Amino acid sequence: MDDVIRDAGYKFGANELIILSQLSLAAVPTAAIIFLDVVTSRCPTVCVVEEEGCTRYEGDSTDMCKLTEWQWRYEEPMESVQGQFDLLCQGSRVKYMSHLLFYIGMFLSCMLAGLSSDAIGRKKSLMMFLLVECVGLVLMIVVDTFIVWLTVRFITGLGIGYFVVSQILIIEGLKVEFRHWFLAAIWGFYSVGLLLLGLLELAFTRYIDMIACVLILVGALWGIYLFGIEESLRWLLVKQKAESAQYILHKIAYRNNVELPSYEEIPKLTDDQFSVVDLVVIKQSRCLLMILLAMNMVSYYLYSHAITYSYPTTPNADYVMLLMTGGIGFIGVLMTSVSCCYLGRRSTVVGLLLLELVTFCVQMFEESEVTYTVCSNVFRLLVPGLLYCCSLYSLEAYATPLRAKAVGVVMSAAALGGVLSSAKLIYNESMETAFTLQVVLLIATTLTLLLALSLPETKGRPLPDQVDNMPGLLGVKQWCSSTVKETTPLLRSS
């Protein structure tokens, strides 16, 4: 199908730029919602009542927690979840529970996003998950107990599936030769979401005001997508929905002032019924999926831990770190997309994993505070690019009937990395256990780097519509080879 539309003169114009901008904006609230707990769980300001007045404390104080309740009070409870629900003296494990439950919900949501977008369509699935997210954000504003708050954070995690579907629509709905730039746009906007969260914390003191702003953005996106986004043409062709597919073809032809073939003239795509299990059963998919899962899980664990665990405790420093993280991540995605264009997908992934491994080794064996901070910033630079590459591979390498399921499963691995990171913070393990976990991660990162050498080069390939057209992994003899025999004609540009 790529060849049919491209040869007819399909161009990337102003209308496509509008669609790209609309879908990329979905990443902004995604990042803000994921790391919202970093802001809402900060330690509140406390006043300890004394004979001569009130002494203010920023953060937890062991001596203060030994006092009776009437001897101290929160200065502004609504500024923090810990203050709102009186969690300050209950230990650090409690505040990380919301992180854990959110990532569990996100894990399920990414899996469901792939299944639902194949079953009911990309657009309907997108609208459904956005609606779930809106409901979750509304409930976050009105909850009155901590148990309900935890439940609502799980619900907001369930709504993150819209981010997965928006990536599928970008790849399937816009000019395929520039797909790596289009996907880079949405991951760049993901870093913009962290910038937005930092600006919201700078502008507001109450966490419910920040949540309200994110809610307005998500609600606006729901309205924009309802009227401004069309269903994926590829999905319509696979499902053989003739009337809807012909309507989309007419719109593309009209916008670009070209003649496109009718629905009857386009080669029909088979509506093969595949399940998530087939991602493991099918030979072309099995090993590729394992590599992408390991890469996403390990990388996101390091990213989430670098942001959550190393955050400063003073409120004034939170928004600075968020702004830095967003800015560094944006630069990382931009550098990665340029590398994918000129060096290729495979070389870029191997290079990023090698840098990640070296950085992890330095952080593991050099325990100074300066080294830890520098390594954390390197992770903030590298990992967004690696997550972008994982999404790019899952979207480019998998056939249309498997594509949505593949990107959903691969994104769920990132959520699993967040689950492991949150569980580690809750467990608060001993130094010996922490070192053991680091050794396991070091081995996993090394194995992932070695396996990544087998990744196929998807630069310039048309998107496969059938399983037989999916690229296979490279053999050991091809790891250092610059030429690989192609089974399908390459596109004219990548």
Side-chain angles (χ1 to χ4, degrees), residues 52 94 100 173 345:
E52 299 180 356
V94 175
L100 178 62
R345 282 52 159 165

Side-chain angles (χ1 to χ4, degrees), residues 46-296:
V46 176
C47 278
V48 177
V49 180
E50 298 176 348
E51 292 182 0
E52 299 180 356
C54 181
T55 302
R56 297 180 62 188
Y57 287 87
E58 294 284 352
D60 195 2
S61 171
T62 304
D63 294 334
M64 181 210 70
C65 289
K66 293 178 181 178
L67 301 175
T68 58
E69 184 176 354
W70 62 269
Q71 291 177 299
W72 61 274
R73 61 180 174 80
Y74 296 106
E75 191 171 69
E76 294 288 347
M78 293 296 288
E79 290 184 4
S80 167
V81 170
Q82 287 185 283
Q84 173 71 7
F85 302 120
D86 194 15
L87 305 173
L88 185 59
C89 296
Q90 296 188 22
S92 60
R93 297 185 181 185
V94 175
K95 73 176 185 178
Y96 294 119
M97 282 298 297
S98 59
H99 294 245
L100 178 62
L101 290 173
F102 174 84
Y103 281 120
I104 292 175
M106 178 179 169
F107 174 83
L108 297 175
S109 180
C110 292
M111 297 288 287
L112 291 173
L115 295 173
S116 64
S117 58
D118 272 342
I120 64 176
R122 310 324 195 200
K123 181 176 179 178
K124 290 180 180 178
S125 182
L126 177 68
M127 304 304 295
M128 179 183 68
F129 283 107
L130 278 172
L131 186 60
V132 172
E133 197 64 74
C134 286
V135 172
L137 292 172
V138 170
L139 293 176
M140 285 184 71
I141 297 175
V142 301
V143 294
D144 56 357
T145 64
F146 184 60
I147 297 299
V148 179
W149 169 269
L150 294 178
T151 305
V152 171
R153 279 303 280 163
F154 174 77
I155 294 174
T156 55
L158 286 176
I160 290 295
Y162 69 85
F163 181 59
V164 175
V165 183
S166 63
Q167 295 180 65
I168 301 171
L169 282 169
I170 281 181
I171 290 295
E172 293 186 344
L174 295 173
K175 190 170 177 63
V176 70
E177 286 89 341
F178 305 114
R179 59 202 177 203
H180 67 284
W181 295 117
F182 297 153
L183 198 63
I186 194 170
W187 280 101
F189 273 93
Y190 180 87
S191 296
V192 173
L194 290 173
L195 292 172
L196 172 66
L197 188 59
L199 292 174
L200 288 177
E201 186 181 9
L202 179 61
F204 301 103
T205 55
R206 301 193 310 165
Y207 70 88
I208 57 174
D209 295 329
M210 305 176 201
I211 297 173
C213 291
V214 178
L215 172 61
I216 292 172
L217 178 57
V218 174
L221 288 177
W222 191 90
I224 291 172
Y225 294 160
L226 180 63
F227 300 104
I229 299 297
E230 300 291 346
E231 183 56 83
S232 166
L233 178 59
R234 285 180 180 272
W235 183 82
L236 293 173
L237 292 174
V238 167
K239 296 299 180 180
Q240 298 182 10
K241 297 183 179 295
E243 185 176 346
S244 299
Q246 188 62 63
Y247 172 73
I248 300 297
L249 285 169
H250 280 315
K251 289 194 67 172
I252 295 175
Y254 176 77
R255 286 199 302 254
N256 294 276
N257 193 26
V258 296
E259 291 185 6
L260 292 179
S262 64
Y263 172 80
E264 290 75 15
E265 296 172 329
I266 293 180
K268 298 300 180 290
L269 305 178
T270 57
D271 185 13
D272 298 323
Q273 299 298 323
F274 293 104
S275 66
V276 176
V277 178
D278 291 314
L279 293 173
V280 181
V281 174
I282 296 175
K283 180 181 178 181
Q284 296 96 316
S285 167
R286 187 186 309 122
C287 295
L288 175 61
L289 183 68
M290 295 300 105
I291 296 172
L292 296 179
L293 289 178
M295 186 163 58
N296 237 17

